[in-house]
Amino acid sequence: MRKRDSRLQPTRRRYIKKGEDMKYIVAIIQPGKVEDVYNALLEIGISGLTTTEVQGYGRQKGKTEMYRGAEYNVNFLPKMKIEVAVSSKDAGKVVSAIKDASESGKIGDGKIFTLDLADAMRIRTGETGAEAL
């Protein structure tokens, strides 16, 4: 029988080394701020992120536009969703960088969500946990 490493703690299906806490950061920002956020994350050493074009509304509650003389309401506004997986020790820096780069001081700047990330795997090498990031 194989002896289990004492530094490992049980999870549902596998064992994860203690201290490999990871965070999944999701930011919804203005489309024009994506390049600024990208550059801010590069400056602090974050090399991977995912972006998605999304639509939504918050306190802005949409806007009214004119098209060929007719007025109509646009309820869902274009936004960008940025997703970043980082180690817990880098999460604070990442959130600050995203906030500083995307803040205009106006309504509709967006939101940042920080979630616990249980595990990650790099498909090519099979590395798991924080090593896969």
Side-chain angles (χ1 to χ4, degrees), residues 15-28:
Y15 290 89
I16 299 173
K17 290 182 185 175
K18 289 183 182 177
E20 287 190 352
D21 293 333
M22 298 175 292
K23 298 291 183 184
Y24 193 66
I25 299 169
V26 179
I28 309 296

Side-chain angles (χ1 to χ4, degrees), residues 1 5 14 29 34 36-37 41 45 48 77 79 82 84 94-95 97 103 107-108 111 118 120 124 129 133:
M1 187 160 125
D5 188 341
R14 36 191 313 230
I29 64 169
V34 172
D36 296 337
V37 170
L41 292 176
L77 301 174
K79 303 285 183 182
I82 295 176
V84 184
V94 170
V95 169
E103 183 178 29
I107 194 166
K111 296 227 180 347
R124 180 178 52 87
L133 303 178

Side-chain angles (χ1 to χ4, degrees), residues 31-50:
K33 297 289 187 173
V34 172
E35 193 70 28
D36 296 337
V37 170
Y38 169 72
N39 290 328
L41 292 176
L42 279 180
E43 283 180 23
I44 62 170
I46 303 301
S47 59
L49 65 90
T50 302

Side-chain angles (χ1 to χ4, degrees), residues 5-131:
D5 188 341
S6 63
R7 296 174 299 158
L8 301 178
Q9 64 184 21
T11 62
R12 283 189 188 164
R13 292 192 178 137
R14 36 191 313 230
Y15 290 89
I16 299 173
K17 290 182 185 175
K18 289 183 182 177
E20 287 190 352
D21 293 333
M22 298 175 292
K23 298 291 183 184
Y24 193 66
I25 299 169
V26 179
I28 309 296
I29 64 169
Q30 293 287 344
K33 297 289 187 173
V34 172
E35 193 70 28
D36 296 337
V37 170
Y38 169 72
N39 290 328
L41 292 176
L42 279 180
E43 283 180 23
I44 62 170
I46 303 301
S47 59
L49 65 90
T50 302
T51 63
T52 310
E53 292 180 15
V54 295
Q55 293 182 354
Y57 71 93
R59 290 186 179 161
Q60 279 180 294
K61 305 224 183 341
K63 62 182 177 180
T64 303
E65 291 190 355
M66 295 290 285
Y67 181 72
R68 294 189 179 184
E71 188 176 286
Y72 67 98
N73 291 326
V74 177
N75 295 322
F76 294 99
L77 301 174
K79 303 285 183 182
M80 290 297 289
K81 180 165 73 169
I82 295 176
E83 299 169 277
V84 184
V86 296
S87 66
S88 289
K89 64 180 171 56
D90 293 334
K93 291 189 304 186
V94 170
V95 169
S96 293
I98 293 171
K99 181 192 179 298
D100 293 343
S102 61
E103 183 178 29
S104 71
K106 298 177 184 171
I107 194 166
D109 277 350
K111 296 227 180 347
I112 302 172
F113 306 98
T114 304
L115 308 154
D116 289 328
L117 182 59
D119 199 7
M121 177 183 279
R122 185 180 310 244
I123 295 172
R124 180 178 52 87
T125 63
E127 293 171 297
T128 59
E131 295 165 352

